[in-house]
Amino acid sequence: KVDAEASGDWYTLDWLGYFYDASGGWIYHETLGWLYAESESNSNFWFYDSQMGWLWTGPTYYDQSQSKYFLYSSNRKKI
């Protein structure tokens, strides 16, 4: 978590960057905007984006500093 007194519920992960925990599974990412997040046990995540649908990623697959991206899935369950 980023400094709680200065930043509220903003967090950072080295591979993902800064995001706000809006609770209920929703986050606001500094670049990507609103995403619904579901974590997996192996440090990977499913994100739902209203325009792109379900996206799967994790620290091995996404690194904003190295221009790595999400893997897209149109078969993921709907929220």
Side-chain angles (χ1 to χ4, degrees):
K1 184 170 186 175
V2 179
D3 180 5
E5 291 187 24
S7 304
D9 289 324
W10 281 90
Y11 296 80
T12 187
L13 294 172
D14 290 340
W15 61 274
L16 185 62
Y18 290 96
F19 61 95
Y20 175 77
D21 182 0
S23 74
W26 288 96
I27 65 168
Y28 184 81
H29 186 268
E30 66 178 331
T31 305
L32 303 170
W34 286 105
L35 299 168
Y36 181 78
E38 288 186 0
S39 65
E40 292 187 337
S41 60
N42 56 5
S43 299
N44 294 321
F45 291 86
W46 280 101
F47 291 116
Y48 180 79
D49 177 89
S50 63
Q51 295 179 352
M52 293 185 284
W54 284 101
L55 307 162
W56 182 81
T57 196
T60 303
Y61 308 102
Y62 182 91
D63 186 337
Q64 65 178 10
S65 68
Q66 297 180 16
S67 298
K68 293 182 182 177
Y69 300 102
F70 292 101
L71 299 175
Y72 170 76
S73 173
S74 61
N75 297 324
R76 179 74 173 148
K77 68 180 182 178
K78 302 227 186 261
I79 58 170

